[in-house]
Amino acid sequence: MELLLQKAGEPVEQKGKELKLHDGKLPVWTKIGFGVCDLGGNLFFTMMGFYLLFFMTDVVGLAAGLAGTALMIGKIWDAVTDPTVGYLSDRTRTRWGRRRPYMFVGSFLLMAMMTIMFTAPGYNTQLQLFVWATVIYCLLCTAYTLVNIPYGALTPELTTDYNERTVINAYRMSFAVVGTLLGAGLVLPIVSAADSVKAGWTLAGTVMGALMLVTALVTVFSVREPRHGEAPPRQNILKSYAQVLGMKVFLTCLIPWTLHITGITIIQGALLYYFIYYYGNETGFQIALVSLLVSAMIFIPVWTAISGKIGKKKSYNYGMSILAVAVMIFFLVGHRVPMEYSYIIMAIAGFGFATQYVMPYAIVPDVVEYDYAENGVRREGVFYGLWTFTSKVGQAFAIALSGWTLSLFGYLPDLPQTDLALLGIRLLCGPIPAIFFIAGVVVLSYYPITREKYEEILQKIAFREAK
């Protein structure tokens, strides 16, 4: 079978019957081709985080508590799909690589399911709507898993260079911010452009799904994978995941990532409610969101440079601490000042939020190398399967918690809200997510891999491969 050497910016070098990972800087076009897929990935993240709960409650007509529960069940379904796809992609051997065949198929399914998800059904009872929401969301999450798990597992296969991994993830997350900006800026205008609200949401889901399809295919056709030898010896999937979850090094970055995703998802779900029911202005929500994301985009390269000086862990912790302070400021003063001041607060939050885009994805490839150095097995799919699974569990819990909180505080769609309901919305935009951010900072402080430690890991790998 023909070796794919340096084709379309392929970052691999020949070594015997296999190709080893690149250990230096990558061509710019490789970084762009790799990074663009996360534009679509964050369109998905934006649609799910900012709009799906609102769509369920205020367009479909599903009660907030039931909507939160349905979305939580969909995320828990990923307990099956994420680890399974990760495990299978580790063992897959095709002429196109281990990861890209899954991404190719998944991208078409993802577009189709986005259209279906945002098409309000004609059911009348809460039970029918609940079952519909649960089933369709499970299918949508499965389609996204087929794209996202293999895509994430590509990261450690592109380069082993400690700083270059931060750089390629900066490219990736710059596209991610663009994707979030497009989601923030296009969704509501697309909805408004249609003949009816329901038709508008269907159109928005279709357009966003099409963008997800195109960006995934760009990566599939522009980034080549290193050639791997035969699949590793067959191992019980549960045992494989249990081994990875038993690694303290992995847990000290996995738990903070999950906590931070939970807090961010809570804010995402609550902000639209805040701007509608406090300020009475959906346009203000879009401006605030753009302020947050533009700030994050500006500071991604800044944090990338800072991490080169002080390390990934410290940069991540400093950024999330800033974000925690910003949301508490918003909780304390956002309802007391004109809406325009919220844009400034969001810009401050974006300064810290930028680290969530870059640092976790730069950290996990180092853990993959640690595992290979210690155990002699490459199982990127297992790590990224768990990485995405726990993020989705965090999102599921966040969405459910948001729905339950709204119900507990007496929220009713399309009606003037009571003071108690407004307080519930404020809590979801301040203290509740701040608790998750600070908890993540505390756990991450125990993460042990520094630049010096990583050099020792590479030396151990070199010694292992020289045998």
Side-chain angles (χ1 to χ4, degrees):
M1 189 181 294
E2 181 184 18
L3 294 178
L4 301 171
L5 289 171
Q6 300 297 333
K7 185 177 180 181
E10 181 180 7
V12 294
E13 299 174 357
Q14 189 169 4
K15 181 186 178 187
K17 293 183 179 180
E18 298 187 15
L19 298 177
K20 70 176 183 178
L21 305 183
H22 198 280
D23 59 2
K25 291 189 175 182
L26 299 169
V28 171
W29 56 84
T30 298
K31 300 171 186 176
I32 293 174
F34 169 71
V36 71
C37 186
D38 224 30
L39 187 155
N42 267 259
L43 278 176
F44 181 87
F45 190 74
T46 301
M47 291 290 285
M48 299 306 105
F50 286 108
Y51 298 112
L52 186 55
L53 182 62
F54 179 82
F55 172 76
M56 290 294 179
T57 59
D58 287 45
V59 180
V60 174
L62 185 60
L66 289 176
T69 302
L71 300 184
M72 181 181 70
I73 292 172
K75 290 297 184 181
I76 292 174
W77 166 243
D78 286 332
V80 176
T81 59
D82 280 0
T84 300
V85 171
Y87 179 82
L88 290 175
S89 72
D90 278 347
R91 301 185 57 80
T92 296
R93 297 295 184 273
T94 74
R95 61 181 296 185
W96 301 281
R98 298 191 292 172
R99 319 297 180 185
R100 291 178 297 154
Y102 293 95
M103 295 175 64
F104 180 80
V105 174
S107 61
F108 287 95
L109 293 176
L110 182 58
M111 177 181 173
M113 293 311 305
M114 281 294 295
T115 300
I116 296 171
M117 182 82 261
F118 284 93
T119 300
Y123 303 130
N124 297 318
T125 70
Q126 288 292 298
L127 177 60
Q128 289 175 319
L129 291 173
F130 174 74
V131 172
W132 168 84
T134 302
V135 172
I136 298 303
Y137 190 56
C138 284
L139 294 174
L140 175 62
C141 288
T142 302
Y144 181 66
T145 290
L146 289 171
V147 176
N148 195 55
I149 297 297
Y151 173 62
L154 280 174
T155 307
E157 297 186 337
L158 295 179
T159 180
T160 60
D161 186 86
Y162 182 82
N163 286 328
E164 190 69 357
R165 283 179 168 174
T166 304
V167 173
I168 64 173
N169 278 290
Y171 273 82
R172 174 183 176 180
M173 293 307 152
S174 294
F175 279 108
V177 175
V178 172
T180 309
L181 278 169
L182 288 176
L186 291 180
V187 171
L188 294 181
I190 290 174
V191 172
S192 299
D195 294 334
S196 67
V197 172
K198 290 185 177 181
W201 280 103
T202 300
L203 179 62
T206 302
V207 171
M208 297 300 112
L211 287 172
M212 295 172 200
L213 168 67
V214 171
T215 54
L217 291 181
V218 169
T219 297
V220 167
F221 290 112
S222 66
V223 175
R224 302 295 190 225
E225 301 176 47
R227 179 74 57 80
H228 292 274
E230 295 183 1
R234 190 173 298 277
Q235 183 182 37
N236 182 281
I237 186 172
L238 296 178
K239 182 177 180 181
S240 182
Y241 279 97
Q243 287 178 347
V244 169
L245 284 174
M247 295 171 53
K248 181 181 177 181
V249 171
F250 185 45
L251 291 178
T252 54
C253 64
L254 179 68
I255 293 172
W257 159 251
T258 307
L259 291 169
H260 292 156
I261 281 290
T262 302
I264 288 167
T265 304
I266 290 170
I267 295 175
Q268 285 182 319
L271 272 178
L272 184 55
Y273 291 98
Y274 193 103
F275 276 81
I276 289 176
Y277 292 107
Y278 265 105
Y279 298 137
N281 193 320
E282 290 186 6
T283 302
F285 162 74
Q286 292 181 286
I287 296 173
L289 194 53
V290 168
S291 178
L292 171 74
L293 297 172
V294 168
S295 174
M297 179 180 289
I298 291 171
F299 285 106
I300 282 176
V302 174
W303 283 111
T304 301
I306 291 172
S307 72
K309 301 293 184 181
I310 67 174
K312 302 172 186 179
K313 177 176 73 174
K314 287 184 178 179
S315 298
Y316 195 13
N317 272 349
Y318 290 160
M320 297 310 294
S321 297
I322 292 170
L323 181 57
V325 171
V327 299
M328 285 305 301
I329 292 173
F330 187 62
F331 168 74
L332 293 172
V333 306
H335 62 298
R336 301 178 184 275
V337 297
M339 181 180 65
E340 289 72 20
Y341 284 88
S342 69
Y343 308 154
I344 299 173
I345 299 172
M346 291 299 162
I348 296 171
F351 174 47
F353 185 45
T355 59
Q356 174 72 6
Y357 278 104
V358 180
M359 298 309 154
Y361 291 99
I363 286 173
V364 71
D366 299 342
V367 179
V368 172
E369 298 303 323
Y370 170 84
D371 177 53
Y372 179 54
E374 294 297 319
N375 300 306
V377 179
R378 285 206 169 273
R379 40 188 177 186
E380 294 92 339
V382 172
F383 281 98
Y384 281 92
L386 284 170
W387 191 257
T388 305
F389 163 60
T390 57
S391 73
K392 290 178 179 179
V393 169
Q395 290 173 315
F397 177 72
I399 293 170
L401 179 61
S402 298
W404 297 336
T405 300
L406 290 173
S407 292
L408 180 64
F409 281 77
Y411 170 81
L412 294 173
D414 295 326
L415 295 175
Q417 302 302 319
T418 64
D419 290 342
L420 184 62
L422 291 173
L423 174 60
I425 293 172
R426 282 181 57 219
L427 289 172
L428 291 171
C429 291
I432 294 176
I435 290 171
F436 286 96
F437 296 150
I438 297 304
V441 167
V442 172
V443 176
L444 186 65
S445 65
Y446 293 95
Y447 175 73
I449 298 180
T450 60
R451 187 194 313 274
E452 294 73 24
K453 178 67 175 178
Y454 184 71
E455 293 300 324
E456 294 175 9
I457 291 170
L458 291 183
Q459 291 175 10
K460 192 168 185 177
I461 291 174
F463 178 75
R464 176 185 290 279
E465 293 181 341
K467 291 181 179 180

